[in-house]
Amino acid sequence: MEIKAIRMFDGGFMTQPFAFGGEEGKDKFDEQVIYRSSLQNFLIDTGEEVILVDTGFKTGMAVPAKKLGAPLYMGEKVADYMDSFTALGYKPEQVTKILVTHKHPDHSAALEFFPNAKVYISPEDADAMKLEGGNIVRAEYGTPYKNFPNAQQVADGIWFIEAKGHTKGNSIIIAENDGLFYMFHGDVTYCDIALKANKLSIVFEDIKAARETLDRVREFVKNQPTVYLSTHCPEGYENLEMKRVMKL
């Protein structure tokens, strides 16, 4: 199994109130404390299948401006999603599955470009996106996985796991390889320091579920050697490159 980052933006920042303020409130944190930001999704090559974890923005998406006081600046564009994908040496028709962590466009806007892919997504977010067709696979959770009560195995060693909160149908994906657990968590946290600090971001649809999910993620990380693959901070691709296990 090979796991690769599909990089889109880098060199950005997010403020501490944005990354930490979901429960206590933004005013409890310092807006002049900032953390690094980027944007990347991921690809899993099992040797038999090419599986995407999320798809980014459509080609030509404008670069958001850098503004003083902005809660999140993704950074400078590295490449459009499809250009970054093809630069890894793959063709769209090779992709067999797309595992969508949640409905937001930086995770789902390029679904249409993969003609042979089955799209796995939670029922709630499929409804929110009005996704229909024979290629849409609504997750059928029901199998416990470690400390997560609801999961579905979608390939050998790859699990699609219910993790509500950030959206009402939020999911995470875990891939097991060579004794490590690679956790593609979408936006359970926006930066790795928030996981260590046990803080929720200000972006959520169900705060109670988001807290339960973060608690489960932290318990999992404490008990399994986990490479934490974030979407919105450069530790996402750095952890992958170094196979760096998260320590809480």
Side-chain angles (χ1 to χ4, degrees), residues 43-155:
L43 177 152
I44 305 170
D45 186 338
T46 70
E48 298 178 351
E49 292 191 88
V50 177
I51 299 173
L52 300 180
V53 179
D54 290 336
T55 68
F57 294 114
K58 290 184 179 180
T59 298
M61 181 264 184
V63 178
K66 182 189 292 186
K67 295 181 180 179
L68 183 66
L72 173 67
Y73 170 61
M74 286 190 296
E76 301 296 323
K77 184 181 283 188
V78 174
D80 282 315
Y81 178 84
M82 292 305 298
D83 290 339
S84 187
F85 165 80
T86 55
L88 294 176
Y90 297 94
K91 297 178 180 179
E93 56 267 25
Q94 291 178 270
V95 175
T96 55
K97 294 184 176 79
I98 303 173
L99 313 179
V100 181
T101 61
H102 63 286
K103 64 188 178 184
H104 294 155
D106 50 337
H107 298 258
S108 65
L111 294 175
E112 65 189 82
F113 300 115
F114 300 94
N116 300 324
K118 296 289 187 181
V119 178
Y120 288 73
I121 187 169
S122 69
E124 297 90 344
D125 278 9
D127 287 344
M129 294 178 67
K130 297 181 171 57
L131 294 179
E132 297 178 351
N135 67 318
I136 303 303
V137 181
R138 291 165 168 261
E140 296 181 0
Y141 308 112
T143 302
Y145 177 76
K146 305 297 184 183
N147 63 308
F148 294 100
N150 288 308
Q152 177 181 358
Q153 190 169 16
V154 295

Side-chain angles (χ1 to χ4, degrees), residues 9-13 36-38 66 73-76 234 237:
F9 290 82
D10 208 354
F13 63 83
R36 295 188 299 159
S37 179
S38 63
K66 182 189 292 186
Y73 170 61
M74 286 190 296
E76 301 296 323
Y237 63 80

Side-chain angles (χ1 to χ4, degrees), residues 181-243:
F181 296 80
Y182 292 83
M183 179 182 284
F184 310 82
H185 65 84
D187 298 344
V188 170
T189 61
Y190 273 89
C191 57
D192 287 16
I193 190 63
L195 179 74
K196 293 176 183 253
N198 196 18
K199 300 295 184 183
L200 290 172
S201 83
I202 64 170
V203 184
F204 54 81
E205 291 184 350
D206 186 331
I207 185 65
K208 182 176 181 291
R211 166 45 60 189
E212 291 173 354
T213 288
L214 183 58
D215 289 346
R216 287 196 180 104
V217 165
R218 283 171 53 83
E219 181 184 349
F220 184 94
V221 168
K222 287 176 181 177
N223 290 302
Q224 277 76 224
T226 303
V227 181
Y228 193 69
L229 299 179
S230 293
T231 299
H232 290 283
C233 67
E235 288 94 330
Y237 63 80
E238 293 168 354
N239 292 344
L240 177 61
E241 289 169 359
M242 294 183 281
K243 298 182 180 180

